Amino acid sequence: MTADTTRPLSAPAARPESARLFARATDLLPGGVDSPVRAFGAVGGQPVFFERGDGPRVWDADGNAYIDWMCSWGPLILGHADARVVAAVTEAVARGTSFGAPNRREVELAALVRDAMPAVEMMRFVSSGTEAAMSALRVARAATDRDKIVKFRGCYHGHTDSLLVDAGSGALTLGIPGTPGVTRGAAADTLVAEYNDLASVEKLLDANRGAVAAVVIEPVAGNMGVIAPAAGFLEGLRTLTTAHGTLLMFDEVITGFRVGPGGAQERYGVTPDLTVLGKIIGGGMPVGAYGGRRDLMAMVAPSGPVYQAGTLSGNPAAMAAGIATLRALAEPGVYEQLETTAAALEIGLLDAARAAGVPLAVNRAGSLLTPFFTAGPVTGYAGAMAADTERFGAFFRAMLDAGVYLPPSQFEAWFVSTAHGDAEIEATVTAARRAFATGA
Ligand code: PLP
């Protein structure tokens, strides 16, 4: 812990350089950002421009320090600029950033993934979670010769057309249930079920017999805030999909190597046919992957007819970051440490809220958590929607001014890293107490 986090918790930070950059950015980039939630639209105020990160902390363009619980939306499970990751990437980059030809690191990372997730018998690396989900869907449709898919209200799988219907994350945060530019055909092929409601899935599968290629789910919902699967829910999906000849696709872009080394499929003991990965397996570099049963993945070109390709896929820099991250996560005690840190944060936030009489429900799955401003419980989409987003916005702004950077939306996960410890929790809970005391 350096002296930076001991800066006064109550002094609103001046951010003139961020303001100047944002003014320029709005002229150059739509909304001034390259991804919608970054714009602070749901919480008010102006986005903070980051200059650098180290461990659990980031510094903005004006030199203000923040404890970062957003951690680039999940990839940075080791915190910012982890020395092992930096060394691996530096070494790789010095030998060339991209070959557009096979390199040994792809093989090494694939082996590490399969060791941890045996159901991912074969995989293909791509450059984002969006690309991975889109490509996995193509395989599912090709394998089943069916067009329709079932997804869940509030779940997010990247911005490919058919998965944007009733999507979570930025679409939910900004109140965009569908988006212009998605064809009617894509929307019509997407059936929407309710998370943690098996009957809603059964109804759709029954009404669309022989037509549904895949049921696609975040096994722990993370993009309407964190919601864990109810007992029996994922098992029920496995049984239903098998009975209907429909593939079960787990989007583990967030949960992969996060809720445990083998992701949600290991934590909850349910084996999907296809798995979508991203974030942690790229250690903070642009990466995604999709994989699963050998017979399904063998359909992907060039071994099969399903076309999918990528100029930068499997590039050595991203592979090196992923390998270094997965190796670090394989050290003994890492997931126990993450669990302990996240549990302490959960308890601290709950205590602070209780003391101030603020209704707060904290949902947590391993090192993912979301404090919902509602008495709860939050077990599905409707429960999440009951949260007080105005109050979250006030809380977010108070925390930001106290030097704590949170995901700028009520409907997102906070990401705990191995770099976070007692000092960060104490500072965060102290800031939360003050925020609650002032009505935020
Ligand atoms: N799937 C899930 C569960 C995600 O949370 C995200 C992004 O946050 C994606 C897919 C899309 O990944 P990317 O932003 O890398 O395209």
Side-chain angles (χ1 to χ4, degrees):
M1 178 94 184
T2 66
D4 292 290
T5 49
T6 58
R7 63 197 279 289
L9 283 171
S10 55
R15 291 185 278 271
E17 182 60 8
S18 276
R20 192 189 70 77
L21 286 168
F22 188 54
R24 275 218 82 196
T26 50
D27 183 42
L28 293 161
L29 312 168
V33 291
D34 280 319
S35 198
V37 178
R38 297 180 193 175
F40 281 21
V43 290
Q46 289 203 340
V48 180
F49 280 65
F50 286 2
E51 204 72 32
R52 70 185 174 95
D54 184 14
R57 223 154 298 129
V58 285
W59 284 262
D60 70 14
D62 293 282
N64 301 300
Y66 307 84
I67 295 167
D68 182 15
W69 295 107
M70 189 266 279
C71 281
S72 190
W73 304 99
L76 305 182
I77 194 163
L78 306 176
H80 291 271
D82 177 85
R84 295 158 292 186
V85 177
V86 171
V89 173
T90 307
E91 198 242 320
V93 165
R95 292 163 179 262
T97 51
S98 177
F99 301 125
N103 71 89
R104 66 172 61 247
R105 289 187 173 90
E106 298 164 87
V107 186
E108 195 178 334
L109 184 56
L112 287 172
V113 171
R114 189 173 66 185
D115 284 351
M117 289 186 165
V120 182
E121 293 172 345
M122 294 187 95
M123 72 207 78
R124 167 64 59 81
F125 289 112
V126 293
S127 296
S128 71
T130 295
E131 201 185 345
M134 175 187 82
S135 308
L137 263 193
R138 187 175 301 145
V139 171
R141 286 177 162 140
T144 56
D145 195 22
R146 299 172 177 183
D147 288 347
K148 292 191 189 298
I149 56 157
V150 169
K151 75 174 288 288
F152 293 83
R153 195 180 314 281
C155 282
Y156 178 68
H157 308 285
H159 61 86
T160 194
D161 283 2
S162 53
L163 290 169
L164 263 184
V165 179
D166 276 316
S169 190
L172 179 61
T173 297
L174 304 176
I176 303 175
T179 169
V182 171
T183 65
R184 285 170 189 82
D189 281 338
T190 304
L191 311 170
V192 180
E194 298 298 328
Y195 188 84
N196 271 340
D197 179 353
L198 212 47
S200 73
V201 183
E202 192 166 13
K203 208 166 133 192
L204 289 173
L205 290 178
D206 281 344
N208 294 275
R209 246 170 218 286
V212 179
V215 169
V216 186
I217 189 161
E218 291 179 72
V220 175
N223 284 290
M224 50 180 150
V226 173
I227 303 179
F233 178 58
L234 297 177
E235 292 87 335
L237 288 182
R238 182 64 280 181
T239 306
L240 272 178
T241 47
T242 303
H244 281 266
T246 294
L247 297 174
L248 180 60
M249 187 190 300
F250 277 4
D251 180 345
E252 298 231 39
V253 166
I254 285 180
T255 53
F257 294 91
R258 166 67 65 180
V259 298
Q265 49 198 270
E266 178 189 54
R267 190 176 172 115
Y268 298 100
V270 175
T271 304
D273 302 296
L274 288 166
T275 298
V276 179
L277 293 164
K279 301 201 193 259
I280 288 174
I281 63 157
M285 301 289 280
V287 171
Y290 63 103
R293 273 171 32 201
R294 184 175 295 275
D295 62 310
L296 297 173
M297 292 308 292
M299 297 186 73
V300 177
S303 63
V306 178
Y307 198 74
Q308 185 273 311
T311 301
L312 295 175
S313 298
N315 73 83
M319 298 293 103
I323 292 165
T325 301
L326 297 200
R327 283 215 186 113
L329 290 174
E331 280 169 22
V334 170
Y335 285 95
E336 289 79 0
Q337 183 204 331
L338 286 165
E339 187 80 33
T340 305
T341 312
L345 179 60
E346 174 190 4
I347 290 165
L349 291 170
L350 282 172
D351 283 350
R354 205 172 297 124
V358 173
L360 195 76
V362 181
N363 279 10
R364 183 173 73 82
S367 56
L368 293 171
L369 76 157
T370 299
F372 289 99
F373 280 80
T374 170
V378 179
T379 58
Y381 180 83
M385 290 309 105
D388 183 342
T389 52
E390 291 287 317
R391 183 142 206 179
F392 177 82
F395 178 69
F396 172 89
R397 293 189 299 275
M399 295 296 278
L400 188 69
D401 284 346
V404 181
Y405 194 93
L406 306 176
S409 164
Q410 169 67 98
F411 306 118
E412 300 283 0
W414 298 20
F415 296 94
V416 175
S417 80
T418 57
H420 291 100
D422 292 346
E424 286 74 33
I425 290 171
E426 201 186 310
T428 302
V429 172
T430 302
R433 279 186 200 286
R434 291 187 190 172
F436 292 149
T438 57

